[in-house]
Amino acid sequence: MFDRYLLFVQTKLNTIDMSTSSFQGQTNLLGRYPFHWHDLDNDCDDCYFTANSIHKSFYRCISIHGTHNTTVSENVGYDVSGYCYYFEDGNEEDNTISFNLAVHINSPSNEIANGDGTQRIDVFSQSVDLILPADSTASGFYISNLHNDIIGNAASGGWAGFSLPVFHSPVGIHRDLNMRPGNRLTKTFDGNTAHSTGWWWSHAGAFYSGGSLYYSDANSTLLEYNAGRDQDHGNRQPCLVDKCVTENNCASHCYQGEERAWFELTNNKVFLTPSSGLNSVSYTLVTCIYLFLQSYLTETAHTFSSVISYSGVVG
């Protein structure tokens, strides 16, 4: 046990079950989270975090970092600074995030992405006070790679409920991997719920596919985050063929027809949001099957904005 820093796992640990963490984490310090799997690769396929309570965290809830095939299930995060359930570098795959709750999510700084009604928004740069610039849109779930099973989770509050940022390449210690996380196909994204969110920007979406994280300098040392439409770093091109492997070029075009694929989000629910229920500003081919959304009236009797909004091709 460390002061404000509960668990950092660099060796295999089979289970963390029914623990309580309060006043843990160190704001804007990388790696200082209440629960943290760090760079275990495929060596933790029977590891799991289940039935834990994280409340009043100074930084995040559970971080999966460079680790695959784990399970995070039936946990509760309440009153948390920064993203709660968090895939750190974007290369994390084949994990299961199921039946978790994130409530009352706060920005770790005074910098919050507050849009002016257009699809453009300010770019945030990495700084001492915002070590991950994407925290300007702190949300319950930060799914930087969709090739995971995201099932039955619930988010209340936050900039969005579920943030699906676009990575053209991983960041951090995995920045040199030959992969494009933003193009990785969904495994299962089903039965999730988001509410009481999306107040800062009309295009945010309770489920928001957008926001690009990338290095702004040639030495890959300074991260920038564009929360809105970004035609340089924010496009997705899901493909049945992995161009990073077949052509050694992750930016290679995915041709319409037999190669083109889509992301599939099913049976998800949204309510009490003034912005879109599901929004994509990432030029992605999206198919939403059995997506059940509700919109409500505000107290001033103005209807909320569109329940589903797409800015890419809809399959």
Side-chain angles (χ1 to χ4, degrees):
M1 177 77 70
F2 297 83
D3 181 34
R4 294 189 178 181
Y5 174 32
L6 182 61
L7 183 66
F8 177 84
V9 183
Q10 264 187 310
T11 57
K12 187 170 181 178
L13 185 63
N14 286 337
T15 175
I16 301 296
D17 187 45
M18 298 183 68
S19 298
T20 299
S21 163
S22 59
F23 301 103
Q24 302 290 334
Q26 293 176 275
T27 306
N28 280 315
L29 287 179
L30 289 177
R32 297 300 194 259
Y33 321 126
F35 296 98
H36 182 196
W37 269 312
H38 179 75
D39 203 25
L40 295 177
D41 198 30
N42 289 302
D43 293 332
C44 210
D45 57 359
D46 58 352
C47 297
Y48 57 90
F49 286 137
T50 60
N52 300 291
S53 170
I54 304 105
H55 57 276
K56 296 189 181 299
S57 168
F58 294 108
Y59 208 33
R60 314 211 186 288
C61 299
I62 295 172
S63 173
I64 299 178
H65 184 197
T67 301
H68 319 296
N69 300 298
T70 66
T71 297
V72 174
S73 186
E74 300 176 60
N75 301 284
V76 173
Y78 172 77
D79 195 6
V80 175
S81 178
Y83 285 101
C84 186
Y85 301 94
Y86 174 65
F87 291 120
E88 188 158 343
D89 283 358
N91 69 310
E92 299 84 9
E93 297 190 343
D94 299 313
N95 299 284
T96 298
I97 309 296
S98 61
F99 309 108
N100 301 285
L101 174 64
V103 181
H104 192 32
I105 307 302
N106 312 293
S107 172
S109 76
N110 292 324
E111 297 187 71
I112 299 176
N114 195 344
D116 60 0
T118 71
Q119 292 183 348
R120 309 287 180 176
I121 204 164
D122 289 341
V123 174
F124 293 86
S125 296
Q126 190 174 34
S127 67
V128 172
D129 296 326
L130 194 64
I131 195 65
L132 178 74
D135 274 322
S136 58
T137 59
S139 307
F141 295 82
Y142 182 82
I143 313 298
S144 56
N145 187 322
L146 283 165
H147 199 70
N148 292 280
D149 292 312
I150 314 298
I151 304 169
N153 303 283
S156 176
W159 192 88
F162 292 78
S163 177
L164 317 177
V166 180
F167 286 35
H168 278 189
S169 61
V171 298
I173 60 176
H174 300 99
R175 70 191 73 183
D176 294 325
L177 288 180
N178 183 36
M179 67 177 299
R180 180 161 286 197
N183 288 356
R184 298 291 288 155
L185 298 180
T186 46
K187 290 189 71 178
T188 305
F189 197 109
D190 183 79
N192 302 288
T193 302
H195 70 84
S196 306
T197 185
W199 303 97
W200 288 274
W201 185 43
S202 60
H203 295 281
F207 293 84
Y208 179 59
S209 174
S212 53
L213 186 71
Y214 53 90
Y215 288 104
S216 61
D217 61 321
N219 295 321
S220 298
T221 57
L222 183 68
L223 285 170
E224 282 190 346
Y225 181 71
N226 186 337
R229 181 180 291 282
D230 181 355
Q231 293 176 294
D232 294 323
H233 309 96
N235 62 306
R236 298 186 192 269
Q237 193 177 44
C239 193
L240 296 175
V241 178
D242 189 343
K243 299 292 185 172
C244 300
V245 174
T246 61
E247 299 185 20
N248 197 32
N249 181 7
C250 294
S252 183
H253 187 68
C254 180
Y255 293 99
Q256 187 79 27
E258 293 183 358
E259 287 189 347
R260 188 68 63 86
W262 56 83
F263 298 113
E264 187 173 272
L265 285 70
T266 61
N267 299 310
N268 301 289
K269 304 174 182 67
V270 172
F271 58 97
L272 291 176
T273 174
S275 58
S276 303
L278 167 67
N279 198 12
S280 171
V281 295
S282 56
Y283 292 93
T284 178
L285 182 69
V286 180
T287 296
C288 296
I289 301 176
Y290 307 126
L291 188 67
F292 172 68
L293 305 173
Q294 301 173 334
S295 64
Y296 289 79
L297 298 179
T298 65
E299 293 180 358
T300 57
H302 292 121
T303 57
F304 288 166
S305 59
S306 60
V307 178
I308 308 178
S309 175
Y310 302 100
S311 299
V313 180
V314 181

